[in-house]
Amino acid sequence: MDGNGRWAKARGLPRTMGHRRGVEAVRETVRAAGDFGIEYLTLFAFSSENWRRPREEVDELLRLLKIFIRRDLADLHKEGVRVRVIGARDNLSPDILGLLEEAESLTRNNQRTTLVIAFNYGARDEVARAVRRIAAKISSGEVAIDAVDAECLDAHLDTAGIPDPDLIIRTSGELRLSNFLLWQAAYSEFVFLPCLWPDFDRDALAQALAEYASRSRRYGGIAREAAS
Ligand code: IPE
Ligand code: MG
């Protein structure tokens, strides 16, 4: 979700106003994803590198996350949304940690859509934490060194049990992954949109899905028609 700052700047508003409008786009996108039958939607809400932003902006982003969970959790639950949070949990303030855990535990049995919130998330950090978990199990004898393969790593990532993303959408015209789901994106399709995140809506999502539907995914093989 990129472009909140530029959206605000273009209107002569403070960056925080862009983040506030960005929350509206989140609401619309989560609803549209459910309507479109998307089973897993992951939103990159706050990266492990976003702490480098000015204090006031970080505070506003954290405030908006808290407001979103407090205000929207009951509705998300009613709509059958299961919330999962990925990212590092240590060093988070108790109020944020409590809200994230409440969102996960309240919605754990919902089945319509899974909303994965990437918060305090960085892919390299996630892989390093997975390696530490595996290393601990090796040293306790629970896991054999030879058993460490791609599947084992998958199972120790924050995304354990969540399928790899079929489609990754980045808004605001930037053409990079910025430490998002590096391991899981091995065969993802990418759609880059010029639209700034606060302008992202149901139509933009539909457009990205149409683009995705036109792609031929081969996973290193060859197209089915070429094989016959
Ligand atoms: C939203 O957009 C990103 C976050 C939620 C942290 P930006 O704040 O990165 O907006 P730009 O890139 O400055 O336009
Ligand atoms: Mg940005």
Side-chain angles (χ1 to χ4, degrees):
M1 301 187 284
D2 200 9
N4 294 352
R6 277 162 282 171
W7 183 93
K9 192 169 180 222
R11 286 161 181 77
L13 298 169
R15 293 177 55 83
T16 49
M17 290 306 292
H19 296 314
R20 285 183 205 181
R21 277 298 290 263
V23 178
E24 296 304 320
V26 166
R27 290 198 175 98
E28 178 162 344
T29 303
V30 173
R31 197 155 300 130
D35 294 344
F36 293 155
I38 292 171
E39 292 175 32
Y40 292 84
L41 172 71
T42 303
L43 297 176
F44 201 174
F46 192 88
S47 79
S48 43
E49 288 76 34
N50 283 150
W51 299 105
R52 292 186 197 142
R53 295 189 176 201
R55 174 74 195 271
E56 309 79 65
E57 183 168 344
V58 169
D59 285 349
E60 177 66 7
L61 287 166
L62 300 183
R63 199 182 70 88
L64 289 174
L65 175 82
K66 287 191 261 186
I67 292 178
F68 175 72
I69 294 179
R70 287 199 192 108
R71 280 204 200 140
D72 291 55
L73 183 58
D75 284 344
L76 292 171
H77 184 44
K78 240 186 281 165
E79 289 162 21
V81 177
R82 177 173 67 144
V83 178
R84 279 272 304 260
V85 181
I86 60 170
R89 304 270 175 124
D90 42 348
N91 299 323
L92 293 183
S93 69
D95 57 338
I96 295 231
L97 194 60
L99 279 170
L100 296 177
E101 285 172 352
E102 184 193 336
E104 288 188 310
S105 68
L106 177 72
T107 62
R108 67 183 326 124
N109 295 316
N110 291 344
Q111 291 185 352
R112 187 162 179 248
T113 310
T114 298
L115 171 63
V116 183
I117 302 175
F119 177 78
N120 193 23
Y121 177 85
R124 288 179 169 178
D125 178 53
E126 180 195 27
V127 171
R129 281 185 288 110
V131 170
R132 280 204 296 278
R133 287 176 195 137
I134 295 168
K137 289 187 184 176
I138 290 173
S139 81
S140 73
E142 196 185 323
V143 168
I145 289 183
D146 290 348
V148 180
D149 53 12
E151 208 179 313
C152 170
L153 205 110
D154 257 336
H156 290 84
L157 291 168
D158 297 349
T159 50
I162 298 171
D164 290 343
D166 291 310
L167 168 65
I168 294 179
I169 302 170
R170 181 160 188 166
T171 56
S172 89
E174 305 289 358
L175 304 177
R176 56 178 174 267
L177 202 45
S178 297
N179 207 13
F180 183 60
L181 299 178
L182 298 181
W183 169 275
Q184 300 87 337
Y187 282 100
S188 301
E189 296 293 329
F190 288 82
V191 169
F192 296 100
L193 300 175
C195 122
L196 302 174
W197 176 253
D199 293 325
F200 192 85
D201 59 9
R202 177 177 292 262
D203 287 347
L205 180 60
Q207 187 193 324
L209 294 175
E211 166 70 31
Y212 170 77
S214 74
R215 304 273 176 91
S216 159
R217 304 184 74 194
R218 295 182 293 280
Y219 300 96
I222 56 173
R224 238 178 275 168
E225 44 297 5
S228 56

